Amino acid sequence: MVDELATIVWLRHDLRVGDNPALQHAIHAGGPVVPLFVHAPREQLPWQPGAASNWWLHHSLAALDENLQAKGSRLIVRQGETLAELRQVVHQTKANQVVWNRCHEPAIAERDQKIAAALQADGCHVSTFEGNLLVDPGQPRTKQGKPFQVFTPFWKYISKILTEIQPPLPTPRTLAAPARWPASTKLPELKLLPQIDWAAGFRKAWQPGEVGAKQQLAAFARQHVDQYDSGRNLPGQDLTSRLSPHLHFGEISPRQVWHTIIEGQHAGHRGISESAEIYLKELGWREFAHHLLVHFPQTTDAPLREEFAGFAWRSSAKDLHAWQRGQTGYPLVDAGMRQLWHTGWMHNRVRMIVASFLCKHLLLPWQDGARWFWDTLVDADLANNTLGWQWTAGCGADAAPYFRVFNPISQAAKFDPQGAYIRRWVPEIAALADRWLGSPWEASSAELRAAKIEIGKTYPAPIVDHAAGRTRALQAWKQMRGK
Ligand code: FAD
């Protein structure tokens, strides 16, 4: 126990002890360190975290507390208005400074600026850090001094900065405790877990927390990163890193990921493989998403490309529901939506396909899809989700052109040729031959009978004909462009 002035480390999307710049700053201050989490979801409106995200948060906070306890510290959890809670904890611990790693979601960033000003006015030191991105997202600029809207030049720009990326900060062995710990809310009181237990599939799929994140990263760097280039498009195989929720909650930093991959490659006495480079570039997309969110904060709800504001979207609660529940009659779309529901995650290739299906085949607004993902993804991330949806809908930065409509039948044949993914998530058609798995209604009646499938009864008929849906989407797009 130490008697010096304490530093409060206000933790948010950096629920880790390793490579945590705010925590390191607090340690270097020399006094007691008070790790604090304040639960104030309403301050994140209109994007307060969804149910899947809350499930993760509960377990991540528990894991962080355990980790801190092993270092002689603990996590103080409070709920209520953040500024009021911070002030109380400052008072109770006799802290003279509050430090945190910055978040870039518009509502959070705005609130944090107000909190910093208020604490400083109270006479408290405030220091903030960039702990969750590789590069300060406000920094990259085109030659004209504007924010980037195209990924390739953005990547070129930040690649130069990344040649000088610093190694991750050390993980402290112990943390100095204050003379008296302030009161802490018990985690169950935050009511983050569902009342009806729908999360059994989540528990099987994930280990939230820093330990789980590190294990996941180590296994990926050892076993799969060199297959990433060819494997990342195959949803039936686990060949991507599945680090997205860990990165979102900051249980691992992108810098730790970057260095682990590069060190793993060097340890194998080889240069960095093309596959590993492709993987590192995905972290670049994450940087790009945050860059866009900082410069175009309105894009969480409004299209970046303004001509899309007048797009003639349909409205159909029935079609939206069928999509959400994985009952569209297109097995690859349904498999993705069911994977999402059961595990809180969906493979990237399938995210693009289901999103395209919603915005193009069903002509429903991308915002409806973004909201559903927001509530059901454990990795729901405002920057990445906004970019993903606007990219697919054709209305965002560097977006896929609207006229490119993913064909859910040929995508199934190409990326799930043996049907491993579809059979897993749409078991009611598992007995069909591989060639019909993407379009079961095309199988002969004898084949359907043999596989015990009755289209429209045991598995839905397609809710929209592929060709007709595509034509309708293209017409709506032409109409928007006045052609
Ligand atoms: P890997 O392929 O192993 O990639 C490593 C990391 O790079 C990911 O964990 C992620 O942090 C980052 N990354 C990869 N692809 C992208 C991308 N296209 N954009 C931004 N970052 C990327 N990702 C989220 O983290 N949260 C979301 O809410 C989200 N919503 C999406 C919505 C749509 C419609 C689409 C098309 C994509 C969305 N993505 C989102 C991006 C991507 O699908 C996921 O990051 C990826 O599938 C996560 O799996 P992984 O960790 O195995 O990825």
Side-chain angles (χ1 to χ4, degrees):
M1 279 190 285
V2 194
D3 245 359
E4 289 156 274
L5 291 167
T7 299
I8 294 170
V9 184
W10 177 26
L11 294 151
R12 304 98 62 77
H13 286 174
D14 52 345
L15 302 178
R16 66 177 181 275
V17 176
D19 195 32
N20 189 324
L23 182 64
Q24 279 297 324
H25 184 87
I27 294 168
H28 284 137
V33 175
V34 182
L36 171 70
F37 177 83
V38 184
H39 184 55
R42 293 188 63 77
E43 293 174 15
Q44 296 179 40
L45 282 170
W47 290 95
Q48 73 182 79
S53 198
N54 280 337
W55 175 86
W56 191 286
L57 178 62
H58 176 97
H59 295 290
S60 190
L61 292 172
L64 178 63
D65 186 40
E66 202 180 311
N67 203 349
L68 288 166
Q69 301 246 8
K71 297 178 191 310
S73 183
R74 65 175 71 163
L75 180 66
I76 299 300
V77 177
R78 306 286 280 242
Q79 57 180 331
E81 197 221 329
T82 300
L83 178 59
E85 295 302 318
L86 278 167
R87 279 181 163 147
Q88 269 197 25
V89 179
V90 166
H91 178 72
Q92 289 165 0
T93 57
K94 300 193 177 49
N96 70 337
Q97 66 168 336
V98 182
V99 296
W100 63 83
N101 295 310
R102 291 187 285 277
C103 291
H104 301 285
E105 291 77 4
I108 301 183
E110 198 185 320
R111 175 201 65 184
D112 292 354
Q113 275 193 2
K114 289 185 189 146
I115 286 181
L119 290 174
Q120 278 161 344
D122 292 349
C124 208
H125 295 288
V126 170
S127 300
T128 70
F129 303 86
E130 194 54 71
N132 299 329
L133 291 171
L134 296 168
V135 171
D136 171 353
Q139 185 194 336
R141 294 279 165 170
T142 64
K143 286 197 180 100
Q144 293 73 37
K146 296 202 170 126
F148 285 94
Q149 291 198 34
V150 181
F151 176 72
T152 304
F154 172 83
W155 177 239
K156 219 171 138 191
Y157 182 102
I158 69 163
S159 294
K160 284 194 201 123
I161 305 176
L162 292 175
T163 54
E164 294 183 8
I165 184 172
Q166 296 298 308
L169 299 164
T171 302
R173 289 219 191 109
T174 57
L175 289 165
R180 274 189 56 208
W181 285 104
S184 181
T185 304
K186 297 227 164 15
L187 263 188
E189 286 171 32
L190 302 186
K191 297 196 170 55
L192 294 166
L193 294 180
Q195 296 201 324
I196 301 165
D197 182 19
W198 42 252
F202 286 32
R203 287 193 289 275
K204 269 193 227 144
W206 303 104
Q207 185 188 343
E210 203 167 349
V211 172
K214 279 195 179 147
Q215 283 171 359
Q216 183 73 18
L217 171 59
F220 176 73
R222 210 173 42 242
Q223 293 163 14
H224 295 317
V225 70
D226 289 325
Q227 292 160 274
Y228 183 77
D229 52 349
S230 51
R232 71 191 163 131
N233 278 315
L234 304 174
Q237 300 181 37
D238 271 349
L239 294 175
T240 67
S241 70
R242 293 173 62 94
L243 281 172
S244 48
H246 299 291
L247 278 164
H248 170 75
F249 285 94
E251 297 167 351
I252 197 145
S253 72
R255 187 159 60 176
Q256 288 172 312
V257 177
W258 185 273
H259 279 277
T260 304
I261 296 296
I262 289 181
E263 273 165 21
Q265 296 278 305
H266 287 153
H269 303 292
R270 49 199 167 161
I272 295 170
S273 68
E274 207 175 304
S275 182
E277 276 183 10
I278 292 174
Y279 178 74
L280 294 175
K281 205 169 178 179
E282 293 303 322
L283 296 178
W285 276 95
R286 182 173 180 272
E287 300 288 315
F288 186 47
H290 285 81
H291 173 73
L292 292 167
L293 187 64
V294 164
H295 290 291
F296 306 102
Q298 77 283 8
T299 55
T300 55
D301 299 86
L304 179 73
R305 293 176 56 185
E306 283 166 10
E307 73 262 31
F308 273 85
F311 192 87
W313 300 109
R314 286 170 68 234
S315 158
S316 166
K318 189 164 152 258
D319 286 358
L320 180 63
H321 191 258
W323 177 81
Q324 290 170 333
R325 299 293 157 178
Q327 297 288 341
T328 66
Y330 285 89
L332 187 55
V333 174
D334 293 342
M337 298 309 291
R338 296 179 193 187
Q339 181 184 31
L340 173 62
W341 184 252
H342 287 284
T343 69
W345 185 87
M346 193 195 301
H347 189 279
N348 180 60
R349 161 91 8 212
V350 191
R351 288 189 204 205
M352 294 191 287
I353 294 163
V354 303
S356 169
F357 189 84
L358 183 82
C359 306
K360 297 182 183 175
H361 288 88
L362 298 182
L363 213 61
L364 295 177
W366 62 269
Q367 291 94 331
D368 286 355
R371 278 282 168 194
W372 182 252
F373 270 31
W374 185 253
D375 206 32
T376 50
L377 277 171
V378 286
D379 67 21
D381 181 280
L382 204 50
N384 291 357
N385 200 37
T386 303
L387 171 67
W389 278 96
Q390 293 226 17
W391 184 90
T392 318
C395 59
D398 209 355
Y402 187 84
F403 56 78
R404 195 184 295 157
V405 178
F406 280 101
N407 177 337
I409 306 164
S410 58
Q411 290 280 312
K414 195 165 171 196
F415 296 114
D416 191 29
Q418 273 91 48
Y421 187 70
I422 289 178
R423 285 202 172 89
R424 172 153 185 219
W425 295 108
V426 192
E428 63 268 40
I429 62 164
L432 264 187
D434 294 352
R435 63 184 296 219
W436 303 123
L437 280 175
S439 51
W441 65 90
E442 287 179 337
S444 69
S445 350
E447 281 172 294
L448 288 170
R449 239 190 340 270
K452 299 198 171 43
I453 299 166
E454 228 181 303
I455 296 293
K457 284 207 171 142
T458 59
Y459 182 68
I463 56 170
V464 58
D465 172 69
H466 164 63
R470 185 173 182 280
T471 306
R472 181 173 66 180
L474 294 182
Q475 272 165 359
W477 179 66
K478 283 185 186 147
Q479 193 191 332
M480 174 195 83
R481 304 176 83 213
K483 286 186 183 166

